[in-house]
Amino acid sequence: MKGCSLVDEFLRNKRKYIVYKHQFSKKSNNERVQRIIKFLQFCCSKGTKHIKDISKAIYDDFMRSISDKSLETQRKYRLAVSEFAERARLNFKIVKNVDRQKERKFLKLKAILKDCNDIEQCRDEIMNLF
């Protein structure tokens, strides 16, 4: 995507947004940068103009857009974007541990179903979990 202001801002201030880890190879560090760039391009496609305006909803949409990728690839994106979000001081947190995330969803679903007499009445609440 040409002209993505988010990518331009990121590349101008890369040291602010990502730490190069000496224990990683140059290739691994470059892959982390490329994952963040792909995320920022997605944000641009959603109309975001400034890094500080990136929302959790856009992050969630991005993760859904890569849901066809392997779990390992999704994990790597989650870690790279999580570091970026923390260093950019975005207004949301990313759950890094998928098992904890799945456990929370399971407990919420269990609570919804416990109080639900008719599954159709609870459909919207259940769908919001996913």
Side-chain angles (χ1 to χ4, degrees):
M1 170 181 290
K2 277 190 171 181
C4 178
S5 60
L6 299 177
V7 173
D8 295 340
E9 184 180 346
F10 170 72
L11 293 175
R12 275 193 313 272
N13 302 297
K14 208 181 323 182
R15 290 184 138 190
K16 174 182 174 183
Y17 295 118
I18 189 168
V19 174
Y20 283 89
K21 299 184 178 180
H22 70 280
Q23 69 269 30
F24 288 179
S25 69
K26 189 173 184 176
K27 180 182 176 200
S28 293
N29 279 314
N30 287 338
E31 288 172 349
R32 288 172 47 234
V33 168
Q34 290 306 309
R35 287 185 190 99
I36 293 168
I37 288 172
K38 185 170 179 180
F39 170 68
L40 293 174
Q41 288 172 333
F42 180 85
C43 294
C44 279
S45 75
K46 295 293 184 179
T48 306
K49 300 286 186 222
H50 303 284
I51 286 178
K52 63 180 175 50
D53 296 332
I54 297 172
S55 69
K56 178 78 161 90
I58 292 173
Y59 167 77
D60 291 340
D61 286 347
F62 174 74
M63 291 306 291
R64 275 191 289 278
S65 77
I66 63 167
S67 64
D68 60 332
K69 307 240 183 264
S70 73
L71 291 176
E72 180 63 13
T73 298
Q74 291 177 46
R75 183 187 72 80
K76 287 177 180 179
Y77 272 99
R78 190 177 303 106
L79 289 173
V81 174
S82 173
E83 178 188 352
F84 168 77
E86 286 173 23
R87 293 187 60 84
R89 297 182 180 176
L90 298 181
N91 223 6
F92 61 90
K93 295 286 182 208
I94 297 171
V95 177
K96 296 178 193 172
N97 188 329
V98 177
D99 291 334
R100 265 191 284 171
Q101 191 176 24
K102 286 179 183 177
E103 181 70 18
R104 282 191 205 124
K105 280 185 181 180
F106 172 73
L107 293 174
K108 285 179 186 176
L109 179 60
K110 193 173 169 183
I112 292 168
L113 292 175
K114 180 181 176 193
D115 298 332
C116 186
N117 295 328
D118 180 16
I119 198 79
E120 284 302 314
Q121 290 176 338
C122 302
R123 184 173 191 264
D124 290 339
E125 199 173 353
I126 292 169
M127 294 307 290
N128 284 335
L129 288 175
F130 307 97

